[in-house]
Amino acid sequence: MKTAIGARRLLLGLVAAALAHEPAVYPPLDAAPANVSCPAAGCSYAAGSLAGLRDRAVKSVAVAFHGQFLMGRAPTKRADAILPATWLDASASRTFDVAYDAFITTSTQQREQTPCSLTDGVKLCDALHATGGFRYAACETRPYNGSSYIYWAHAMGLPWRDSARWSLYPHRVLSDFSTIERALQLVKAHEERSGCTYDLIAVTRIDVFFYFLATIPPKGQPLGAWFENVRKARVVGRRSAHKPMWEDRFIIGESAAMMSMRTICINFLKNFVRLGNLSYPEAQVYLHFADVLSLKHGRRGKDNRPPFESYATISGFRQNKNKFKRWFIEPPLDIGVGAKWRREPAAIAAPVPQPTS
């Protein structure tokens, strides 16, 4: 038993030492791959009212959209037709209208395997403002380079695939988490410009929010009480009282706790080890909020707050099975990956390209 504890402490010490050095990332994360014939330049664009957050006559909710690939999804309805349009504030003994602002960071390509299927960031931002009914929308697109995230994960000491039965590529989870961090940075920048903070912040995906998400009215309460219940919970997303899983497709909570997700990539390796070499987003996010909210977790711990299913439902969503495929992504030749993960094992003996400075 003492040996196991000592080994765990040693492993965590190595993780802490690795995290003390910023991982080398090459090529830059916003650089387009050299072999792409139609790279698109990224852009930053905004639509709507910049001053709306200062309006204290309404409650303000930020929706931070993440994900590298939109897969053709776009706003289909108003945000206040998905989440409640009013907020019954018990402390103020009045009902407020709710105004929504949108923030999104995504890549310049719609699909991972087709870099020439481009995302129009200006059109996307206008659609969020007009069709989505967001008071303000800020959009950022960047070129996607999968190798950047592979090198990043490799520099952190992460394996090519994790230890799950249906194993994931850790660099893909890091890639998605990086868009969460950047979207929340857009939220933070807008708060600093306005000198005000959002009452609540949600983190979700375009497809989940507009196509699959529905809120559940509070039992025995008016729909306007939904936000007040979310505020009391601090962050909504825990799936089960017994399993360490957090609903990663839609998370909503108080501003300070949600802003803590700007460190989710920094803590990725530490939580990867704590989970037994797992990179599942649901488990990673669970550990993040267990630490931030000081939740009890583990076999003896139990969080007695209502689970995600008491607040919202995600129905009809189909998981992308490609992320489990063995040869879905080809590792660069200078990454030490076993032949079983390569389409062309003989390529291992080929000359190794040097990373660009």
Side-chain angles (χ1 to χ4, degrees), residues 79-153:
D80 55 16
I82 302 168
L83 299 179
T86 58
W87 181 325
L88 179 58
D89 189 334
S91 61
S93 300
R94 58 168 290 193
T95 298
F96 291 86
D97 290 333
V98 178
Y100 294 95
D101 292 342
F103 303 86
I104 182 169
T105 55
T106 186
S107 73
T108 55
Q109 60 192 67
Q110 287 279 342
R111 293 171 174 80
E112 184 169 3
Q113 301 301 313
T114 53
C116 294
S117 57
L118 303 181
T119 296
D120 187 332
V122 175
K123 184 177 179 181
L124 171 63
C125 225
D126 286 339
L128 284 167
H129 177 54
T131 306
F134 288 97
R135 175 181 60 188
Y136 172 74
C139 306
E140 177 188 81
T141 60
R142 295 187 180 187
Y144 175 76
N145 188 339
S147 295
S148 297
Y149 298 98
I150 294 174
Y151 284 121
W152 185 17

Side-chain angles (χ1 to χ4, degrees), residues 131-208:
T131 306
F134 288 97
R135 175 181 60 188
Y136 172 74
C139 306
E140 177 188 81
T141 60
R142 295 187 180 187
Y144 175 76
N145 188 339
S147 295
S148 297
Y149 298 98
I150 294 174
Y151 284 121
W152 185 17
H154 181 69
M156 290 174 66
L158 291 163
W160 179 242
R161 301 291 290 265
D162 67 15
S163 298
R165 180 182 178 186
W166 299 99
S167 62
L168 295 179
Y169 301 90
H171 76 270
R172 284 172 58 82
V173 182
L174 269 177
S175 170
D176 182 54
F177 281 0
S178 72
T179 64
I180 293 177
E181 289 191 356
R182 295 205 304 268
L184 288 174
Q185 281 298 121
L186 293 179
V187 178
K188 184 66 175 177
H190 187 54
E191 286 185 333
E192 290 175 349
R193 281 194 301 267
S194 303
C196 303
T197 59
Y198 283 97
D199 296 289
L200 292 173
I201 297 175
V203 170
T204 186
R205 291 165 29 175
I206 283 276
D207 58 345
V208 170

Side-chain angles (χ1 to χ4, degrees), residues 52-355:
L53 186 55
R54 300 192 187 102
D55 186 0
R56 295 291 89 188
V58 299
K59 294 287 188 178
S60 294
V61 176
V63 181
F65 293 104
H66 66 96
Q68 294 283 13
F69 313 106
L70 297 184
M71 304 293 290
R73 301 295 194 179
T76 58
K77 63 189 79 170
R78 291 181 56 87
D80 55 16
I82 302 168
L83 299 179
T86 58
W87 181 325
L88 179 58
D89 189 334
S91 61
S93 300
R94 58 168 290 193
T95 298
F96 291 86
D97 290 333
V98 178
Y100 294 95
D101 292 342
F103 303 86
I104 182 169
T105 55
T106 186
S107 73
T108 55
Q109 60 192 67
Q110 287 279 342
R111 293 171 174 80
E112 184 169 3
Q113 301 301 313
T114 53
C116 294
S117 57
L118 303 181
T119 296
D120 187 332
V122 175
K123 184 177 179 181
L124 171 63
C125 225
D126 286 339
L128 284 167
H129 177 54
T131 306
F134 288 97
R135 175 181 60 188
Y136 172 74
C139 306
E140 177 188 81
T141 60
R142 295 187 180 187
Y144 175 76
N145 188 339
S147 295
S148 297
Y149 298 98
I150 294 174
Y151 284 121
W152 185 17
H154 181 69
M156 290 174 66
L158 291 163
W160 179 242
R161 301 291 290 265
D162 67 15
S163 298
R165 180 182 178 186
W166 299 99
S167 62
L168 295 179
Y169 301 90
H171 76 270
R172 284 172 58 82
V173 182
L174 269 177
S175 170
D176 182 54
F177 281 0
S178 72
T179 64
I180 293 177
E181 289 191 356
R182 295 205 304 268
L184 288 174
Q185 281 298 121
L186 293 179
V187 178
K188 184 66 175 177
H190 187 54
E191 286 185 333
E192 290 175 349
R193 281 194 301 267
S194 303
C196 303
T197 59
Y198 283 97
D199 296 289
L200 292 173
I201 297 175
V203 170
T204 186
R205 291 165 29 175
I206 283 276
D207 58 345
V208 170
F209 188 78
F210 288 107
Y211 293 82
F212 307 110
L213 179 70
T215 53
I216 297 176
K219 190 174 182 179
Q221 296 177 289
L223 182 59
W226 190 86
F227 283 116
E228 193 69 6
N229 290 342
V230 170
R231 186 191 60 79
K232 291 177 182 177
R234 295 188 64 194
V235 180
V236 169
R238 181 186 57 81
R239 281 187 179 174
S240 166
H242 304 286
K243 295 179 181 179
M245 292 291 180
W246 206 274
E247 178 54 71
D248 63 302
R249 296 169 296 179
F250 177 77
I251 312 166
I252 186 169
E254 62 183 19
S255 179
M258 294 301 294
M259 278 297 181
S260 73
M261 292 190 76
R262 290 181 296 159
T263 66
I264 199 166
C265 287
I266 295 175
N267 295 323
F268 186 87
L269 177 59
K270 177 184 71 175
N271 290 334
F272 184 85
V273 174
R274 292 169 68 190
L275 291 166
N277 292 355
L278 294 179
S279 54
Y280 278 135
E282 302 96 320
Q284 285 273 340
V285 173
Y286 176 88
L287 276 189
H288 175 83
F289 283 116
D291 292 339
V292 170
L293 304 176
S294 300
L295 302 179
K296 295 179 179 179
H297 57 92
R299 291 184 177 180
R300 297 183 180 180
K302 185 175 181 179
D303 180 9
N304 292 316
R305 296 176 308 164
F308 174 82
E309 294 79 9
S310 298
Y311 299 90
T313 180
I314 297 174
S315 57
F317 180 86
R318 292 186 179 183
Q319 193 175 47
N320 174 21
K321 299 296 184 180
N322 279 332
K323 62 185 177 182
F324 297 112
K325 289 183 178 179
R326 190 173 187 179
W327 293 291
F328 180 54
I329 300 170
E330 183 73 6
L333 294 177
D334 55 341
I335 295 291
V337 175
K340 69 174 183 176
W341 299 116
R342 297 185 180 275
R343 297 188 187 93
E344 303 291 342
I348 299 174
V352 176
Q354 297 300 312

